[in-house]
Amino acid sequence: MLDFFRYLTAAVMTLIAVWRFPAVRYGDAHRRALWGGYAGFSVALWLYTPAAMDAVDRIPVIDLNALLRHFASTAAIIASLTYVATSYGKSSEAVTPRHVTVSRWIARASYKAGAIGVTLLTFLFFFVVDRQRQSEDFLIDHAGEWGAAAYMSVFYFFPLVTTAVCGYQWSRGARAAETTSMRIGLRLMGISMWMGLLHTTARIVIVWTAVLFPMSRSTVETLIDLTAMWMNLLFLIVAVGASIPTTSVVAARWKTWKTLYRLHPLWFDLVKAFPGTSLYPPGSRLAELIHMRVPSDVRLDRWTQDIADACEKLRYYAPEALLWTAEDAAASHPDPEPAAEAYWIAAALRAAATTKASQYATGPLQEKPFVDTNSEAAWLIRVSKAYTLIAPDAAQELLQQSAELSLESDA
């Protein structure tokens, strides 16, 4: 059961780190620090799993797995402190509150303390901890040894401070949160940090009690396993608390991706016909949806502009009567207005592929009262849906009919 929770917690924390990875490229300093915390804890949690422990044990350094996961945890803790100090430590009050000042000072001092702590951990690990044989569980196998107790006390100093600072800031931030999702998320994260404070305190008591008052291996093992279950539970609560405030963001991002997916056929044909319209050559639907050149909302704004610009260029190729012909062709369509625009685009694209641009542009498409990118994209989705159903022969026939009507009107 404990191994299952270890794998589950490591997998969940890894998913969150992957989910928030765009913050490394597009986010500000405190969001990158938050990602660093998730990434560091995911590495540390994986190093607790049996598979990772077996892999690291093949390296000819006894108990190296313990040192590596403590290094990863320390890095994650420092990143978490930085995140708290640079986000929840902000204040608009004339006099900076004491708790904000303290959290900022702790965050600044954490880098020097972390460097000292890592150096001290390394020294104690190689020269003080009794590592004559490989441990199956570092804490249990070294229970009662003062060197291991001193080593763990140095390591536990960092989570002890961090859980106290983060627990206070997140609990305080939950009371001032503007949205329900943010309030619930911060409250859960605050609870998890107070759980972490209890976990760290309990671990320190266990390791030193085993030194001062020797306990049986079964007793130590039971206590360590119980605190390990507690630790995995608090990490799951952290994961839930961190995910709740971003559900609206995820929903918006998913909606944008669906919009891009539906717009791709129309956008692709238009920017392919006019290569200079887009900032970069168009790719396949899959390639466009998975690339990370720009955020999805920025890409959607560009695509709508690309489509509008390309349609403006098509006016120099479309016959004068094409829009009337397209409206007649779409009269029986379930959604006639966007279908008419789709017919016009399909036929005009065939004209652009076979004729030269005219010196004069034909009449513009019907004006639409768009108020933002989303409303324009919603209209273009309807156009794209109709566009994908137009056969090449139907577009060619429509083009010929409009050309004949234009000649008759000129005559």
Side-chain angles (χ1 to χ4, degrees):
M1 180 62 71
L2 179 57
D3 288 345
F4 168 77
F5 272 105
R6 284 172 174 168
Y7 282 112
L8 175 64
T9 308
V12 170
M13 195 60 63
T14 302
L15 285 175
I16 293 179
V18 173
W19 178 8
R20 291 182 173 271
F21 181 74
V24 177
R25 185 172 183 180
Y26 305 120
D28 46 26
H30 74 274
R31 296 190 186 278
R32 286 194 291 269
L34 179 61
W35 178 86
Y38 288 129
F41 282 127
S42 65
V43 171
L45 289 169
W46 278 114
L47 289 170
Y48 273 103
T49 61
M53 293 176 68
D54 291 341
V56 176
D57 286 347
R58 296 177 184 178
I59 301 174
V61 178
I62 297 175
D63 289 341
L64 179 62
N65 180 73
L67 183 65
L68 292 179
R69 67 171 175 257
H70 293 152
F71 281 172
S73 297
T74 301
I77 287 167
I78 293 174
S80 300
L81 276 173
T82 302
Y83 171 72
V84 169
T86 56
S87 56
Y88 299 98
K90 294 178 181 179
S91 175
S92 58
E93 300 177 23
V95 179
T96 304
R98 179 171 297 180
H99 72 92
V100 174
T101 303
V102 171
S103 65
R104 291 174 179 173
W105 181 86
I106 292 175
R108 289 194 298 269
S110 65
Y111 292 98
K112 294 181 180 179
I116 296 172
V118 167
T119 303
L120 188 55
L121 281 177
T122 305
F123 174 81
L124 292 172
F125 180 83
F126 283 103
F127 298 105
V128 178
V129 178
D130 185 7
R131 299 183 301 108
Q132 295 182 8
R133 59 182 180 276
Q134 186 69 40
S135 302
E136 294 183 7
D137 187 291
F138 185 82
L139 277 179
I140 296 174
D141 292 341
H142 290 279
E145 299 175 8
W146 73 268
Y151 170 86
M152 293 306 302
S153 297
V154 172
F155 167 69
Y156 284 138
F157 170 79
F158 294 97
L160 194 69
V161 174
T162 301
T163 52
V165 173
C166 293
Y168 180 82
Q169 291 284 20
W170 284 335
S171 298
R172 187 184 181 91
R175 294 196 295 269
E178 297 179 355
T179 62
T180 301
S181 61
M182 181 64 73
R183 183 164 54 253
I184 295 173
L186 287 175
R187 191 164 292 165
L188 287 175
M189 293 175 72
I191 290 172
S192 68
M193 290 299 100
W194 296 125
M195 291 173 63
L197 184 63
L198 290 175
H199 167 270
T200 306
T201 304
R203 281 289 180 89
I204 294 173
V205 171
I206 291 170
V207 296
W208 281 108
T209 300
V211 173
L212 300 175
F213 307 99
M215 297 181 288
S216 65
R217 180 182 176 86
S218 61
T219 301
V220 174
E221 186 172 355
T222 299
L223 293 174
I224 295 301
D225 287 347
L226 287 174
T227 54
M229 291 286 288
W230 183 264
M231 180 188 71
N232 284 286
L233 177 61
L234 74 88
F235 271 112
L236 290 177
I237 294 176
V238 168
V240 174
S243 302
I244 288 177
T246 59
T247 51
S248 59
V249 177
V250 173
R253 187 175 298 175
W254 174 247
K255 181 180 179 181
T256 302
W257 279 342
K258 287 198 302 182
T259 302
L260 290 171
Y261 179 87
R262 294 170 180 173
L263 285 183
H264 182 270
L266 179 64
W267 172 81
F268 181 87
D269 287 352
L270 286 171
V271 297
K272 188 177 180 181
F274 302 102
T277 304
S278 178
L279 294 178
Y280 55 86
S284 66
R285 179 180 276 174
L286 178 61
E288 289 293 339
L289 292 179
I290 64 175
H291 84 75
M292 297 178 62
R293 285 190 290 263
V294 291
S296 57
D297 56 339
V298 176
R299 213 168 348 140
L300 177 60
D301 183 68
R302 287 184 178 178
W303 281 25
T304 57
Q305 292 299 318
D306 291 344
I307 292 172
D309 292 344
C311 287
E312 185 66 22
K313 294 177 182 179
L314 282 178
R315 292 175 55 202
Y316 291 88
Y317 296 91
E320 186 67 38
L322 181 57
L323 185 57
W324 305 328
T325 310
E327 290 174 347
D328 290 341
S332 60
H333 194 277
D335 199 4
E337 293 183 1
E341 188 165 315
Y343 275 115
W344 184 89
I345 293 173
L349 279 173
R350 295 192 69 83
T354 56
T355 61
K356 293 183 179 180
S358 173
Q359 187 177 359
Y360 303 100
T362 57
L365 294 172
Q366 183 180 0
E367 291 289 333
K368 275 81 66 177
F370 299 135
V371 296
D372 54 21
T373 299
N374 290 331
S375 62
E376 185 174 4
W379 166 263
L380 291 176
I381 287 176
R382 296 163 64 190
V383 175
S384 182
K385 182 180 179 180
Y387 174 81
T388 57
L389 299 177
I390 300 174
D393 292 343
Q396 184 63 39
E397 182 179 354
L398 188 66
L399 179 62
Q400 292 175 352
Q401 292 176 3
S402 63
E404 292 172 359
L405 286 175
S406 297
L407 289 175
E408 291 176 3
S409 61
D410 292 341

